[in-house]
Amino acid sequence: MFSVAAAFGNVHGVYKPGNVTLSPEKLGNHQAYAKKKLNSPLDKPIFLVMHGGSGSTDSEIRLAVHNGVVKVNIDTDTQWAYWNGLRAFEKEKRDYLQSQIGNPSGHDKPNKKFYDPRVWIRKSEEAMASRVAISMEKVGSVGMYTASKQKAKSQLGEQRPKGILSSPTALLLTGIVIGCSISTIFLKNISKK
């Protein structure tokens, strides 16, 4: 299976409403033409991708999906949502993000749980996930599929046996040793000249 990103007035990025005019009805015409030329039993034989979905109206997205769009790119909207999650976190926790120690709760109170990247990155991710959920509603995919009961597999491949030789620390130490060795050889060669 392959897909086609057909142009119908769409552009990448987000623009002021009214500056971009989409014609998603053209996608329906493309489908009818392809069905006829391919003698396809499918009403929508082309799998279409909508580039530049950010900033499109709900009705434009609905019509594009109705006409065979199977993927809508919303990169600009998700980038903004990610940034906005971070921005909101910083605004809410600003007084806790000015130093490592000392905040409105006390001059000797630590702030690590606020400036820890895992905390604010998570807020960004939550904001982006919320934006993706909005898009899923717009394209009509909410509730279309049941959640998988299958246990997820590791994305890192097979699990290695535990121990010092398979740990990230061992990899880091190996990198340091190799780096120091290369640096030593380099410095020896320079000093000979």
Side-chain angles (χ1 to χ4, degrees):
M1 178 177 100
F2 66 92
S3 58
V4 175
F8 55 99
N10 45 334
V11 293
H12 288 102
V14 66
Y15 298 86
K16 182 179 174 183
N19 283 1
V20 175
T21 304
L22 296 184
S23 302
E25 68 280 355
K26 289 181 179 180
L27 301 176
N29 298 336
H30 298 333
Q31 294 286 15
Y33 180 80
K35 177 180 174 61
K36 181 179 176 186
K37 288 296 182 182
L38 298 171
N39 197 24
S40 175
L42 302 173
D43 286 334
K44 298 171 193 155
I46 307 171
F47 298 104
L48 297 167
V49 176
M50 181 176 173
H51 283 241
S54 295
S56 299
T57 67
D58 293 354
S59 61
E60 291 167 334
I61 291 172
R62 274 194 302 275
L63 185 54
V65 169
H66 174 76
N67 287 325
V69 166
V70 296
K71 179 182 179 232
V72 179
N73 291 354
I74 54 162
D75 189 47
T76 302
D77 285 347
T78 54
Q79 287 174 1
W80 176 256
Y82 190 94
W83 160 246
N84 206 33
L86 172 57
R87 195 169 64 104
F89 176 78
E90 189 280 332
K91 183 178 180 182
E92 179 186 346
K93 304 296 183 186
R94 182 170 290 145
D95 292 339
Y96 297 84
L97 300 170
Q98 302 306 309
S99 63
Q100 289 183 308
I101 298 173
N103 60 51
S105 300
H107 71 281
D108 61 343
K109 299 292 183 185
N111 295 318
K112 182 171 175 35
K113 65 182 178 182
F114 300 104
Y115 66 78
D116 182 339
R118 293 168 291 193
V119 174
W120 51 264
I121 287 173
R122 182 67 182 158
K123 295 300 180 184
S124 292
E125 291 170 339
E126 288 170 355
M128 186 169 67
S130 294
R131 180 58 184 89
V132 169
I134 290 168
S135 290
M136 292 181 71
E137 285 180 29
K138 288 182 178 188
V139 300
S141 63
V142 173
M144 295 289 291
Y145 304 97
T146 56
S148 173
K149 305 276 190 233
Q150 185 176 359
K151 185 178 177 183
K153 294 182 180 180
S154 171
Q155 294 181 0
L156 302 175
E158 291 185 35
Q159 295 296 318
R160 295 182 297 228
K162 297 196 185 283
I164 187 67
L165 295 178
S166 63
S167 72
T169 304
L171 293 173
L172 177 62
L173 291 173
T174 303
I176 291 170
V177 169
I178 291 171
C180 288
S181 300
I182 291 171
S183 296
T184 303
I185 293 167
F186 179 72
L187 291 173
K188 283 182 181 178
N189 285 334
I190 288 178
S191 65
K192 288 180 183 176
K193 294 180 179 180

